[in-house]
Amino acid sequence: MFGGLAVASKYSKDLLLTMYRKMYLMRRFEERAGQQYGLGKIAGFCHLYIGQEAVAAGVEEAIRPDDYMLSGYRDHAQPLARGSDAGMVMAELFGRTGGYSKGKGGSMHIFDIENHYYGGYGIVGAQIGLAAGMAFASRYRNEDRITVCYFGDAAANQGVFHETLNMAAKWKLPVLYICENNRYGMGTAIARVAAVPEIHKRACAYGIRGEAVDGMDVLKMYEAVKDAAAYIRAGNGPVLMEANTYRFRGHSMADPSTYRTKQEVEDERKNDPIPRLKDYAIKQKLAKEEEFDAIEEEVKQQVDAAVKFADESPEPDLSELWKDTIVEEGEEDVRPRERVLGQKVTKWPKYPSGQELKVTWDLEPREQAEKADKAAGLKR
């Protein structure tokens, strides 16, 4: 309310319902993944995204479908938001041939090249350096694309974080680094191990833009990322964004989460981003309760079908151990949806070889360093 009058929402009904659908899909998918892990259908590690859905949904609606994306090992949700097939993602978790990587990647290594999702990575912070490489390739090819890289708060204390931000800043690479600060690196609170626990403040050390966002509010995420993406595309270099969020479940399915109280979790659940968006849309009279009910029923059926598909997908033959380890010269890309679902994929990414390209900017700009030397009295 403002001045006694209701303020009209600047968001369209379609945008709000799309965001809600994506968040609800992520939530229901992850809940069923946790259930299937308990039943022994998923082996190894399984890191759930429950509670953090507003980050992925807000980011996806604010960037372009052809922008590049990488993540860490909590990586089931982002590809779903990008449009990946839920059945094939679930089959990958099951270790079945119907998965995006024939079940060889599993929970921590989801890839969907068709949707420009270049993987989850099990090594903490590994994707940070890779994202800089992808952003370098974009600039090298003169593409109007950005790279979005998700990582957790614990990864911000890895050496690769500092080395990469320095390089990305120096070359003004078109990359958006999003730290999903869920407050715990495994079972350790970030404030216990970080001299500066506000991750976004570290951006100033590299002369780049840094900001904190409420990662439990999908609309705030959307606005912040939309603005940051435009800033990066304009050639201003990287942005470090800290999405303050919270995971409602443990670090992984193997985590009893004894390092935090039940009361803390219950208090955080009151800020659940999914009902928060629903309440906003209804109060703004942009959507009705029945429309959300319909979305929820449709998503539940979609996830049920995904579990059924994964369960019925064959296990890989032992001969698959020796396949897909090396790409032979001239070998064509395997298009997962064509291989698994028999659906013709027409928009497969194509990239120039790079041999005909040249770097069009100074890789080692000296002007800034010379100014710093003069300011320090090292040059006269």
Side-chain angles (χ1 to χ4, degrees):
M1 302 291 288
F2 180 77
L5 299 174
V7 178
S9 173
K10 62 180 178 179
Y11 305 107
S12 70
K13 175 181 178 178
D14 181 64
L15 175 64
L16 298 183
L17 292 182
T18 296
M19 286 179 169
Y20 187 83
R21 182 186 298 276
K22 290 186 175 183
M23 287 198 293
Y24 198 79
L25 172 60
M26 290 183 249
R27 177 68 58 88
R28 292 295 168 249
F29 183 97
E30 295 289 71
E31 288 175 343
R32 290 302 300 277
Q35 178 195 58
Q36 296 303 303
Y37 187 94
L39 293 172
K41 298 291 181 68
I42 299 173
F45 288 102
C46 184
H47 303 81
L48 302 181
Y49 201 70
I50 296 173
Q52 300 181 207
E53 296 89 350
V55 180
V59 170
E60 185 56 38
E61 294 309 301
I63 63 174
R64 296 200 321 234
D66 65 336
D67 287 328
Y68 304 127
M69 185 178 288
L70 304 90
S71 182
Y73 45 72
R74 199 177 304 278
D75 66 336
H76 318 150
Q78 294 101 339
L80 291 175
R82 297 232 88 183
S84 298
D85 184 86
M88 291 178 63
V89 176
M90 188 67 79
E92 189 62 36
L93 270 63
F94 275 46
R96 304 297 180 86
T97 60
Y100 271 94
S101 301
K102 302 181 182 179
K104 299 178 181 181
S107 169
M108 295 195 290
H109 306 288
I110 305 296
F111 273 74
D112 181 4
I113 305 306
E114 181 184 354
N115 286 302
H116 303 281
Y117 185 78
Y118 286 83
Y121 294 86
I123 298 174
V124 177
Q127 69 275 24
I128 297 174
L130 294 175
M134 297 194 78
F136 181 93
S138 288
R139 192 170 180 200
Y140 190 67
R141 297 173 182 140
N142 295 310
E143 292 178 334
D144 184 26
R145 285 171 166 164
I146 68 169
T147 296
V148 175
C149 178
Y150 295 95
F151 61 96
D153 45 281
N157 287 337
Q158 294 285 85
V160 67
F161 171 86
H162 303 281
E163 295 172 26
T164 301
L165 259 64
N166 178 66
M167 183 181 291
K170 194 66 175 174
W171 290 342
K172 289 191 174 182
L173 299 182
V175 56
L176 172 58
Y177 283 111
I178 300 179
C179 175
E180 293 187 275
N181 189 348
N182 59 28
R183 293 166 41 183
Y184 294 95
M186 294 187 72
T188 304
I190 182 66
R192 293 180 58 193
V193 295
V196 180
E198 301 92 341
I199 306 299
H200 70 281
K201 291 183 178 179
R202 303 182 187 187
C204 65
Y206 307 101
I208 65 174
R209 174 174 159 182
E211 59 189 81
V213 187
D214 181 359
M216 301 300 280
D217 187 326
V218 68
L219 297 178
K220 288 181 179 178
M221 280 301 309
Y222 168 77
E223 292 290 356
V225 173
K226 188 177 179 181
D227 184 73
Y231 173 89
I232 295 168
R233 282 191 220 280
N236 295 305
V239 171
L240 174 62
M241 184 175 292
E242 180 178 7
N244 290 301
T245 184
Y246 194 86
R247 53 174 165 81
F248 296 155
R249 303 285 288 270
H251 171 72
S252 72
M253 287 298 296
D255 176 16
S257 197
T258 55
Y259 45 84
R260 55 186 186 180
T261 65
K262 290 183 179 179
Q263 188 60 52
E264 176 186 312
V265 179
E266 287 305 310
D267 288 344
E268 293 294 337
R269 281 187 178 275
K270 295 174 184 177
N271 201 28
D272 192 322
I274 298 177
R276 188 172 176 178
L277 178 62
K278 181 179 180 179
D279 290 344
Y280 172 84
I282 291 174
K283 287 178 181 177
Q284 290 289 327
K285 297 182 178 180
L286 288 170
K288 298 179 180 178
E289 188 83 40
E290 306 84 69
E291 292 175 285
F292 290 102
D293 292 342
I295 289 174
E296 292 170 12
E297 182 57 34
E298 181 184 329
V299 167
K300 287 176 184 176
Q301 292 179 15
Q302 182 182 0
V303 175
D304 286 345
V307 174
K308 185 175 185 293
F309 174 84
D311 207 23
E312 293 177 352
S313 184
E315 293 189 358
D317 188 87
L318 285 176
S319 64
E320 284 290 329
L321 281 171
W322 314 108
K323 297 178 181 178
D324 305 315
T325 56
I326 298 175
V327 178
E328 301 290 349
E329 186 175 352
E331 183 179 346
E332 291 187 8
D333 285 324
V334 176
R335 304 183 181 188
R337 282 199 305 117
E338 287 187 2
R339 174 180 61 83
V340 177
L341 305 176
Q343 298 176 358
K344 185 66 176 176
V345 175
T346 58
K347 293 184 178 180
W348 190 257
K350 292 182 180 180
Y351 309 108
S353 66
Q355 298 302 314
E356 70 279 17
L357 299 176
K358 294 182 180 179
V359 174
T360 56
W361 74 97
D362 186 0
L363 286 175
E364 296 181 0
R366 301 179 182 278
E367 183 180 352
Q368 185 180 3
E370 289 174 354
K371 287 182 178 179
D373 285 348
K374 288 180 180 180
L378 301 176
K379 282 192 175 183
R380 304 186 186 282

